[in-house]
Amino acid sequence: MKQLHVHNWFGSIDSSPYVVVQPDSVEDIIEIMQDHEKYPSPVRAVGSNHSTTPCGVAEGGTLVDMRKMNRIIEIRPDSVTAEAGALYIDVNQELQKHNLQFNVNVELGNLTIGSASCGGTKDASLPGEFGQVCSYASVIKMVTPSGELLEITEDQPELLHVARSSYGLFGIIYEVTFKVRPLQAMTVYHKSYTLDEFATQLPTLRTQGNSIMLYLNPFLDRVVVEFRRYHDTKKPQSLTSWQWKIRNYIWSTLSPFYAYCVTKYVPVVPIRDFLFDLFNRLIFIVCVLVIRGNNTLAIAQQIRYPAVATNSKYTFSIWAFQEEHYIDNLRAYFKFCKDYYRSTGYRSNMISVGYRINHDDSSMFSYSFRGTVMTFDPVSTGNPGWEAFLTAYNELCSSLGGVPLFNQTNLLTSEQVAHAFGDRIATFESYRKRFDPANRLLNGYFSNLFAAEKTVSDRTL
Ligand SMILES: Cc1cc2nc3c(=O)[nH]c(=O)nc-3n(C[C@H](O)[C@H](O)[C@H](O)COP(=O)(O)OP(=O)(O)OC[C@H]3O[C@@H](n4cnc5c(N)ncnc54)[C@H](O)[C@@H]3O)c2cc1C
């Protein structure tokens, strides 16, 4: 049999499943779960395969591509139900026709409903709201490894809490209900600070009723903050999108393409650095002067990335830190980037980003489980040296007490995972084993990440 090769959207995670299957119906998923010969383990469901880690890899097993199950089933005044393979942006655009929107409008429109309900996501939290999509999942329906149908609702809060972090390890999700809200006008504007200015201002900025998203440049010592807040409008039809179109074009197309070209065609390092810095300064000016508005449409923040990545593709990583320690940790990150560049000659070729995300214990592996967090996330076109840089970045972030995301923080070690999540791994494992005692859905990635927990619990037996 010909060996299959599959990679994630960016192209950085390669794998060879035995079979790739696209179910059309719940019956198809039941058959996949029950027929071990035709569909060998591990069985892993994927959506758009945008994750930057091997969380969806089915090496030697069965990759279940959920994209064909993409129907929007019902829209109600306060919720929407859709099949797991539907794209977040498609559902959001349908909601807009009913003057509704999702609560969290992550920039990645290609996020699928199934992944959104059971994995890590981030967007800067608006006051009183969560920044993780799964926290708004109120009903999750899945097919378990035995082929049974399981419906988890808000009447089973403990189970919903773990299912929202289950990454396809309890079952294949085929349908999800998310809470939604009326369309609201969104104000957006940017301000530029030096790191010291930002450190002084942050305590005040946190109290001003805005969400806080950051563009970070350690080499220019700059922090540009994107502020957003909702306000009421009587005319949701008159909301503007042009600000987000410019932002989306810069972020998803122009910046990565520029970084790719400069990296590829400018071999002289000082000239290359000059071109990166010049571009980043210009982008910051455009953000502050142009990308601002009082009546913008929140869902216009979403980007529909091309199905097949082009030379404008980029990748990133992320760790979250308790906000009371953020400035010290951000200083450590700026210093780390500069020291790393001096000692190895590597710098990431795009600006880093960061998010402020409210305290949220709605899911087991929430990275803001213990309190409000802020992140610093390097971004790159994957220029040579990126993976070694990520390994060092992981070491730094783990030593600073950070928390990673299993689908967005690559090259984690089991020790770093145990350090970040502690007892929550053992609790999660006890649930997982209830649904999947034979490890039909467990791939090498999760098995390795949870290994340190096993060693600890084996020792304590
Ligand atoms: C260019 C780019 C931009 C991004 N921007 C953002 C952003 O702004 N905000 C953000 O939060 N993230 C962002 N991400 C990361 C992305 O949101 C997450 O990695 C997300 O999981 C991707 O969704 P997906 O549908 O591609 O999931 P996949 O990568 O296909 O799957 C993710 C995980 O969910 C599981 N899974 C998927 N579907 C199912 C199902 N039906 N049943 C059971 N398990 C399932 C998979 O097994 C896997 O473990 C970005 C990624 C890229 C490449």
Side-chain angles (χ1 to χ4, degrees), residues 8-10 29 43-57 63-64 66-67 83-87 104-123 131-133 141-142 166-176 251-252 303 305 312-316 318 355 367 405-408 441 443 445-446:
N8 66 341
W9 178 82
F10 181 76
I29 303 176
V43 177
R44 298 297 297 150
V46 286
S48 296
N49 230 331
H50 268 252
S51 293
T52 57
T53 74
C55 60
V57 160
L63 190 71
V64 185
M66 293 299 292
R67 289 284 290 111
E83 286 186 325
L87 297 190
V104 185
N105 291 284
V106 285
E107 162 229 298
L108 180 71
N110 308 60
L111 174 72
T112 52
I113 291 294
S115 161
S117 69
C118 71
T121 49
K122 81 272 170 169
D123 191 32
Q132 303 181 55
V133 179
K141 294 186 187 178
M142 62 176 82
S166 60
Y167 287 94
L169 294 167
F170 292 179
I172 295 184
I173 295 165
Y174 61 89
E175 194 183 298
V176 184
W251 187 242
S252 68
I303 300 172
Y305 285 88
S312 292
K313 66 183 179 178
Y314 68 89
T315 185
F316 60 90
I318 177 170
Y355 299 83
Y367 48 87
L405 279 69
F406 295 142
N407 58 342
Q408 302 192 30
L441 307 175
N443 61 4
Y445 174 71
F446 281 106

Side-chain angles (χ1 to χ4, degrees), residues 219 269-270 272-273 335-348 389:
F219 298 95
V269 173
R272 200 158 69 192
D273 287 353
K335 180 172 181 315
F336 161 78
C337 289
K338 287 182 273 197
D339 289 350
Y340 192 86
Y341 184 43
R342 259 192 301 273
S343 63
T344 66
Y346 178 83
R347 67 183 263 191
S348 156
F389 171 82

Side-chain angles (χ1 to χ4, degrees), residues 17 148 252 280 300 383:
E148 277 161 32
S252 68
N280 290 337
N383 52 332

Side-chain angles (χ1 to χ4, degrees), residues 25-312:
S25 64
V26 175
E27 290 69 33
D28 288 352
I29 303 176
I30 295 172
E31 190 200 328
I32 293 164
M33 290 297 205
Q34 292 181 334
D35 189 338
H36 290 230
E37 212 162 294
K38 196 166 163 196
Y39 301 111
S41 305
V43 177
R44 298 297 297 150
V46 286
S48 296
N49 230 331
H50 268 252
S51 293
T52 57
T53 74
C55 60
V57 160
E59 193 64 46
T62 304
L63 190 71
V64 185
D65 173 354
M66 293 299 292
R67 289 284 290 111
K68 268 169 104 179
M69 292 184 66
N70 60 5
R71 280 183 314 134
I72 298 171
I73 293 166
E74 194 180 348
I75 294 179
R76 303 167 210 87
D78 57 356
S79 67
V80 59
T81 302
E83 286 186 325
L87 297 190
Y88 206 67
I89 191 168
D90 288 339
V91 181
N92 224 350
Q93 287 177 349
E94 203 53 41
L95 287 171
Q96 189 191 351
K97 295 179 191 160
H98 296 75
N99 281 333
L100 296 169
Q101 62 176 65
F102 278 120
N103 283 284
V104 185
N105 291 284
V106 285
E107 162 229 298
L108 180 71
N110 308 60
L111 174 72
T112 52
I113 291 294
S115 161
S117 69
C118 71
T121 49
K122 81 272 170 169
D123 191 32
S125 295
L126 285 133
E129 297 186 10
F130 299 130
Q132 303 181 55
V133 179
C134 67
S135 305
Y136 292 98
S138 55
V139 182
I140 300 179
K141 294 186 187 178
M142 62 176 82
V143 179
T144 65
S146 62
E148 277 161 32
L149 300 187
L150 174 69
E151 178 173 337
I152 305 172
T153 70
E154 287 181 304
D155 293 336
Q156 304 134 283
E158 279 178 26
L159 198 49
L160 189 58
H161 177 254
V162 243
R164 284 176 179 150
S165 280
S166 60
Y167 287 94
L169 294 167
F170 292 179
I172 295 184
I173 295 165
Y174 61 89
E175 194 183 298
V176 184
T177 299
F178 281 104
K179 292 178 183 166
V180 299
R181 57 183 292 153
L183 268 189
Q184 234 180 324
M186 179 174 266
T187 298
V188 61
Y189 62 96
H190 296 76
K191 277 192 178 172
S192 178
Y193 304 90
T194 62
L195 178 56
D196 282 341
E197 286 166 353
F198 178 66
T200 313
Q201 291 293 318
L202 185 57
T204 315
L205 300 181
R206 289 196 317 229
T207 62
Q208 290 179 334
N210 290 308
S211 71
I212 294 179
M213 187 258 173
L214 311 169
Y215 294 100
L216 305 165
N217 192 323
F219 298 95
L220 297 178
D221 194 42
R222 278 274 138 196
V223 177
V224 170
V225 185
E226 177 193 277
F227 297 102
R228 300 174 311 161
R229 69 167 159 267
Y230 285 123
H231 66 87
D232 290 327
T233 175
K234 302 232 159 29
K235 292 187 199 157
Q237 297 79 3
S238 64
L239 301 180
T240 60
S241 299
W242 64 264
Q243 296 89 345
W244 296 117
K245 283 186 181 150
I246 298 175
R247 194 281 310 250
N248 293 350
Y249 175 70
I250 292 174
W251 187 242
S252 68
T253 308
L254 183 63
S255 294
F257 186 64
Y258 179 87
Y260 164 82
C261 291
V262 171
T263 304
K264 187 161 179 176
Y265 299 113
V266 184
V268 185
V269 173
I271 300 179
R272 200 158 69 192
D273 287 353
F274 169 78
L275 290 173
F276 286 144
D277 292 343
L278 179 72
F279 181 80
N280 290 337
R281 276 183 221 275
L282 282 173
I283 294 304
F284 285 169
I285 292 171
V286 171
C287 284
V288 173
L289 295 183
V290 182
I291 305 182
R292 51 191 308 137
N294 270 333
N295 286 303
T296 77
L297 177 68
I299 78 165
Q301 295 169 94
Q302 297 211 294
I303 300 172
R304 191 188 295 274
Y305 285 88
V308 178
T310 65
N311 286 341
S312 292

